[in-house]
Amino acid sequence: MTDLWWKSAVVYQIYPRSFADADGDGMGDLRGIIDHLDHLAGLGVDVIWLSPIYPSPQDDNGYDISDYQDIEPVFGTLEIFDELLAGVHARGMKLIMDLVVNHSSDEHKWFLESRAGKDSPKRDWYWWQPAREGLEPGTPGAEPTNWGSVFGGSAWELDEKTGEYYLHLFSKKQPDLNWENPEVRSAVYEMMNWWLDRGIDGFRMDVINMISKVVPLPDGRLTAGSLYGDGSAGFINGPRIHEFLQEMHREVFAGRDAMLTVGEMPGVTVDEAKLFTDPARGEVDMVFQFDHVWADRGDDPWLLMPLQLTNLKAIFNRWQAGLAEVGWNSLYWNNHDQPRAVSRYGDDSAAYRVASAKMLGTVLHLHRGTPYIYQGEELGMTNYPFRTIDEFRDIEALGQYAQAVDLEGRSPDEVLTVLRARGRDNARTPMQWNATAHAGFTTGTPWLAANPNYPEINAEAARADPDSVYHYYRKLADLRHTEPAVVDGDFTMLLPNHEQLYAYTRRLDNTELLVIGNFSGDSVRAEVDEAWSGADLLLTNLPEAPEDWTLAPWQAVIYKRSLG
Ligand code: GLC
């Protein structure tokens, strides 16, 4: 029914550092992944996405790569990688790698060569610029543009040796590659082909809509109270982005089959996404947009906004409608950059954690698009109870804290409250395998503490309990594999103004599915069209089916009917 295989696929993301440690050094590794492949096959996963496993100084946990064609020794070797790949393929799954080419590590040999001197043949592989005209290098405001880095501070770092600055949209150990230079592009394509020839099945492309910059780099808009300008207009969906992705497609993917490519694209609009994912244009198969995970963010980054369900629904509806005819969605609540969904949009209290985790899974997976599960999501893993800033390891949390508290004068409590709820380390605590020390993640000392709730929330317990989130997620994967309406059905949002219920239908030929999720701790009656009385209940997350369309707290239901 569907020509593009990934439409019916379920993807599982592994953050290797936190997944499973086989050698006791406190960091996850490739052997650890090999040991747990059956957990993933048992979940009905089709594709595994590995966050970066390349050699890296680990300034940003591997998103700072110092060699694109090898394996970080802490994680293993190329031989072990081949073994992992074979193990994945033997179970009928595919494996995609993280492609981080907006920037490299400052310890990559390309950058070392580039910074060696102004006349280095690789000087132009990165963004080097002199101080602002009339200002001495290193003096305040002398940076070539006013851009702030995502992790706090200026996006420019002065290199004393040549008196020039280099651009780093992320940490100063992540210098941006200059995609204007054709040599950079062909080096990247060559590397990608090398991995595909080794047998991998595609790439997740890190912040790929930032690789094309506006030249010359323009200053960004300054808002009251902020130290740096917002440079995003100078690098989000830049002028040559489609050209670069089409060239990459021609040089790397054309002529290969069964690939999956997904571009991570902060700030991407629906209209842009349509262009990026139109198969006829040959760019990427799908993108990660951010609107629905930023639905609870206001203009002030240090204010927690409660989720408004109507807003979340409006966002999904816009994306579902926008990509209905052309293009494809990816669907996610969680990844290594987001807090745990059950703590964020669900209710992680003892009473409702399991129900709300299953409800969130139901509502997400039944949309049109390819669903992504982040490690631990299938267990209903929760946010970590961080007490102080010292418990965080994430460069983003530490950098933003320093900027907000030390430079902008925010109160530490205000900033901590937001980091506790939103900080990326919530997703990065060790995967909870069993009830033994450190959740069975390591026999050593974990690089980040395990969530103290592991004796109760862990994979061993979940696999043994037929009512667990794990087995429920398996059913969601099975539905996608067996019910064509889940894959190809039209999407229609119902009850857009309802503040507690999320409801929609999917329709394909004579089959229609009705999905309703209760995003609240109240019992709520859904006003549903008469035509649904007598429909089959395909799945619900609670022991009892709703009576008279009244959903219990955090209940989710999927009904199916045939249209005569
Ligand atoms: C992406 C990654 C994030 C990383 C950043 C810089 O957003 O998902 O973890 O910090 O890019 O590479």
Side-chain angles (χ1 to χ4, degrees), residues 60 63 103 151 170 204 206-207 264 336-337 424 428:
D60 185 19
Y63 283 88
H103 43 269
F151 296 157
F170 295 89
R204 174 269 186 186
D206 193 64
V207 292
E264 187 208 22
H336 63 292
D337 296 329
R424 306 195 298 182
R428 300 175 179 187

Side-chain angles (χ1 to χ4, degrees), residues 157-176:
E157 181 72 8
L158 177 64
D159 185 49
E160 298 287 349
K161 185 168 167 204
T162 55
E164 288 191 327
Y165 291 83
Y166 66 86
L167 176 69
H168 59 90
L169 293 180
F170 295 89
S171 97
K172 65 180 180 201
K173 288 186 66 61
Q174 294 168 297
D176 280 54

Side-chain angles (χ1 to χ4, degrees), residues 437-482:
H438 309 303
F441 162 71
T442 181
T443 53
T445 306
W447 71 274
L448 184 65
N451 194 308
N453 61 23
Y454 71 81
E456 184 205 343
I457 304 173
N458 64 66
E460 195 176 284
R463 283 196 304 262
D465 172 6
D467 292 328
S468 66
V469 181
Y470 178 86
H471 289 293
Y472 189 85
Y473 262 65
R474 166 81 218 199
K475 291 179 190 160
L476 292 174
D478 289 347
L479 252 184
R480 176 159 293 268
H481 295 146
T482 55

Side-chain angles (χ1 to χ4, degrees), residues 190-260:
E190 202 182 305
M191 170 272 282
M192 293 171 75
N193 276 310
W194 183 85
W195 279 108
L196 290 169
D197 292 344
R198 205 169 185 101
I200 69 161
D201 304 295
F203 291 100
R204 174 269 186 186
M205 305 176 182
D206 193 64
V207 292
I208 201 71
N209 66 333
M210 298 190 183
I211 58 177
S212 162
K213 272 88 172 166
V214 171
V215 188
L217 306 180
D219 271 329
R221 206 166 49 91
L222 263 176
T223 45
S226 59
L227 291 170
Y228 299 100
D230 169 8
S232 54
F235 57 80
I236 295 279
N237 301 332
R240 299 183 69 187
I241 184 64
H242 294 288
E243 176 198 334
F244 291 162
L245 287 179
Q246 286 172 8
E247 181 184 74
M248 176 191 284
H249 194 274
R250 279 195 310 276
E251 300 294 323
V252 179
F253 300 112
R256 297 184 188 263
D257 47 29
M259 293 287 123
L260 188 162

